[in-house]
Amino acid sequence: MLEQALADCGDRPEGGTVLVPSGLTLYTASLWLRSNLTLRVETTATLLSTATGKGDSPASSIDDAPMVYTRRDSLMAWAHAGMLNGARCLRLKQPLVGWDDCAEWSHLSNVAIEGGGTLDGDGDNWYLKWATTHDSNQRPMMLDLLWIDGLTIRDLAIRRPGYWTIHPTFSNNVVVVNNTVVTYGQNTDGCDPDSAWNVYIAGNTFSTGDDCIALKAGRDWSGRMVNISTANVLADKNYFLKGHGVSIGSETSGWIRNVTIRDSKLNGTNLAVRIKTARGRGGGVENVLYENLAGSVLAGISLSLNYETKPATNATATPEMRGITLRNLDLQAKSSFLVCEGLPDSKIEGIVFDNVKVSGASGQTCESCHIESRHTVKPQIKCGDHDLAN
């Protein structure tokens, strides 16, 4: 019923709306959205996934999320479809190339998911049961939204994914506002723009089993060959509870650049600032501003090019990090103040701490990293202006 409604109302020049009215719970297998379409789940309505991961194939709890060619863990791969999906791969390359085997994608534009209601993935068993005997990267992303130009997700309660929750990929002009995202379990990130550009994430509340927000741009060889960056991202006035706050990486192969995270509160979050990548990824992170962040965290700041310790590799696969500014941070931390971990062949440089105050923890690690201090920075930084040799 719902799939037919999306087909009937989508792809119309004048636009169309599919309504899940208040008080109604609709159960659904994987759905594919259309262009010029609004899916409106109204207040007290719930869209509930039947692809729960509770059984073993060919049970409906698995088959209701059919296998599709998509991006998983920032790699092009075959995996189970999301609860709500964007583009499809229409035609495979011949011969297959490995890094991206799709020769032709469909493309969508002007898509909105909204309404004040609840999207419920009922996905706990994808990681509690199914992933223990299968490839965990084949789990479904909850909102797996590829190749959409003009995507809005707003005013929703989003719950219980089996993997990453909101996953705009190869998408432009993305708006994620005024949602409450609550997840538990392994790799259940809140919002993961992945090779996406012109992204606005604002006014949301996140409590997650992993990263609250994580910016990504492809992974390793596949990511370098696809080579599509994540760029022009503003995360503004969000509220972070459980989870890793706003992370960048570790999937940086296509580069992540021009990012601002500002005017947000943290309450028991694992980290306030987390930028991570590793040898083998390549690409890197540049031109990032974290500004006006305040609250309580487990640890304060982590900048690492050695997220997964690996042997030295060629220059193409060695990541870089530069042009990172932290301004007006006021944090209460429990375990550590700072980790800044570059590589001997790729130092972290161009880092500025401007009026950064972290109380409650002073521990810091600093290798192949240089940070410039401006105005008040407490505690004093070991790899600051006074220690250029680091």
Side-chain angles (χ1 to χ4, degrees), residues 117 120 132 198 240 310:
D120 189 341
T132 63
N198 301 318
F240 301 109
K310 294 180 179 179

Side-chain angles (χ1 to χ4, degrees), residues 294-336:
S296 63
V297 293
L298 180 62
I301 299 157
S302 178
L303 311 173
S304 180
L305 294 175
N306 200 29
Y307 176 64
E308 298 173 352
T309 302
K310 294 180 179 179
T313 183
N314 61 56
T316 303
T318 301
E320 301 174 56
M321 190 186 303
R322 57 181 178 249
I324 315 297
T325 298
L326 279 56
R327 181 182 299 132
N328 299 334
L329 271 58
D330 189 357
L331 307 171
Q332 301 83 50
K334 290 184 177 181
S335 65
S336 71

Side-chain angles (χ1 to χ4, degrees), residues 230-234 256-260 286-288:
T230 287
N232 306 330
V233 178
L234 173 59
I256 300 170
R257 48 173 61 98
N258 305 335
V259 175
T260 297
E286 65 180 0
N287 301 335
V288 175

